[in-house]
Amino acid sequence: MTITAIKAPFRADHVGSLLRPESIHNARQQFKDGGITAQQLREIETAEITRIVDKQIEAGLQAVTDGEFRRTFWHTDFMAHINGFEGYTPDTGYQFKNVVTEAYDVRNIGKISFDKNHPFVQDFIEFKEIVGGRAIPKLTIPSPNQFFNQGIRDESIYPDLEVYAKDVIEAYRDALKVFYEAGARYIQIDDVYIAGLSSPDIPFNDGQYTREYLIDLALRVVNGVLEDKPEDLYVTTHLCRGNYKSDWAFEGSYALIAPTLFAKEKVDGFFLEYDDDRSGSFQPLEHIPVGGAKVVLGVFTSKRGELEDKEAIKAKIKEAAKYVPLEQICISPQCGFASTHHGNKLTEQQQWDKLKFIVELSKEIWG
């Protein structure tokens, strides 16, 4: 059966990344050691993407991803290929709650624009061919707001943050056009930066910009990118508090950003983390307009393999429905299973069991 009409996000959805199999880990190491060519590595990745597309369809998902199998990190592989940026290895990685991440980041080295030959374009074209109309091929990319993290912008090139923002917006507008022409109709922009703006533990007022200004700027950046997007292109955003080897980076409810971003961001859906107490209450959802964006509740954790208690999940959804209509609610894991190549601490079978469980539970709730 060929699926021709969508309205993403779906009742049962998922954030995107999946655990890399040993075949990919081994092939990456062989390529690094000079044992295989780049083409041979790509062929192994393609075979595994084909396998996990089938597995997602078997699980009952209406939207499937490539598992981010061609990436090392969820964001830097994309960001490093935007004109005006390069990848590099800093002295240290990011400090998470219990671990420091592998060191890698991007930095601004010139004027910003989108390269129509960005490798993610061909990756998506090949991925869409693998899906072959059996499901909706979902593309995940980092939010334009990821370029506003501290240390990325070169102030000698862009002394004015508003000018920098303007060029980031234009680059992403061009990116959406190119991906749309390549056949993308469901794109998710992953945004740790915005979630960080809502964390009281992260100091954003460095004397130059207030948190309030940066929240407003983050809204203007996303809405600027989405201005005049095609009606049949569905764009959602995922607000993440960090996901690395089953560890997390920060905590805090969505209360600080909800009155601005939940109320006014022109996305078709919000993927929100609600898998533990770090997430705070569902009350910020009251700022999402009735009949507006869908809310994908990440009430299942991708950090552990054990299945959640069905009745506890239903109780959470019932609580959330006090603030946003049940018809606007969907469910998913709180994040991907492998935001980086390392992956979270669960087995691949536990990953598939969890996705099947989400699909089954969605049918019980919504029919």
Side-chain angles (χ1 to χ4, degrees), residues 29 51-52 61 129 142 181 185 194 202 210 248 263 266 273 290 346 352:
Q29 188 61 50
R51 180 181 67 85
I52 58 104
L61 292 165
E129 289 174 353
E181 290 169 1
R185 295 297 181 270
I194 280 181
I202 299 179
T210 65
W248 51 271
K266 296 177 181 177
E273 292 194 318
V290 174
L346 71 163
W352 298 125

Side-chain angles (χ1 to χ4, degrees), residues 150-289:
Q150 187 175 358
I152 293 181
R153 174 171 62 108
D154 186 329
E155 295 186 20
S156 69
I157 300 170
Y158 284 101
D160 188 330
L161 185 59
E162 291 285 344
V163 175
Y164 179 80
K166 179 178 177 294
D167 284 0
V168 170
I169 290 169
E170 287 304 313
Y172 265 73
R173 284 171 64 89
D174 289 343
L176 291 193
K177 290 175 185 175
V178 173
F179 285 122
Y180 183 83
E181 290 169 1
R185 295 297 181 270
Y186 183 9
I187 297 177
Q188 174 184 293
I189 56 174
D190 296 317
D191 210 326
V192 175
Y193 176 81
I194 280 181
L197 287 173
S198 201
S199 174
D201 298 332
I202 299 179
F204 278 90
N205 185 0
D206 59 1
Q208 191 173 11
Y209 307 107
T210 65
R211 189 187 299 264
E212 291 71 26
Y213 166 76
L214 293 175
I215 290 173
D216 176 72
L217 179 61
L219 173 71
R220 288 189 284 119
V221 166
V222 173
N223 284 352
V225 169
L226 298 179
E227 190 177 341
D228 300 327
K229 78 170 179 64
E231 284 189 17
D232 62 340
L233 173 61
Y234 291 86
V235 178
T236 60
T237 187
H238 171 229
L239 277 56
C240 176
R241 299 180 180 90
N243 188 52
Y244 182 85
K245 294 183 178 180
S246 293
D247 202 6
W248 51 271
F250 54 88
E251 54 192 326
S253 81
Y254 295 115
L256 290 175
I257 60 172
T260 300
L261 292 157
F262 285 4
K264 301 174 184 176
E265 194 168 46
K266 296 177 181 177
V267 290
D268 296 296
F270 291 96
F271 281 76
L272 303 176
E273 292 194 318
Y274 274 111
D275 60 323
D276 60 24
D277 292 340
R278 291 183 302 116
S279 309
S281 77
F282 291 114
Q283 188 168 355
L285 301 181
E286 67 187 5
H287 293 281
I288 294 176

Side-chain angles (χ1 to χ4, degrees), residues 47 314 328:
K314 288 182 178 179
Q328 275 177 247

Side-chain angles (χ1 to χ4, degrees), residues 95-147:
Q95 177 64 58
F96 271 52
K97 178 64 176 177
N98 301 298
V99 67
V100 176
T101 68
E102 180 181 333
Y104 193 77
D105 207 345
V106 298
R107 59 190 172 196
N108 177 212
I109 57 170
K111 289 293 183 179
I112 302 164
S113 65
F114 184 73
D115 181 357
K116 66 180 181 180
N117 295 315
H118 192 293
F120 273 43
V121 179
Q122 184 60 34
D123 288 350
F124 179 78
I125 290 170
E126 293 182 21
F127 165 55
K128 185 173 182 290
E129 289 174 353
I130 290 170
V131 177
R134 296 173 293 156
I136 303 302
K138 176 181 178 179
L139 172 66
T140 62
I141 59 175
S143 167
N145 283 314
Q146 289 303 122
F147 288 95

Side-chain angles (χ1 to χ4, degrees), residues 48-60 64 130-131 134 352:
E48 291 293 357
I49 291 169
T50 302
R51 180 181 67 85
I52 58 104
V53 163
D54 291 344
K55 294 287 287 185
Q56 290 171 83
I57 293 170
E58 288 172 14
V64 300
I130 290 170
V131 177
R134 296 173 293 156
W352 298 125

Side-chain angles (χ1 to χ4, degrees), residues 14 16-20 52 56 65 67 69 337-338 351-352 355:
H14 76 114
S17 63
L18 297 167
L19 294 170
R20 284 23 163 213
I52 58 104
Q56 290 171 83
T65 74
F69 277 11
F337 292 93
Q351 167 187 269
W352 298 125
L355 290 173

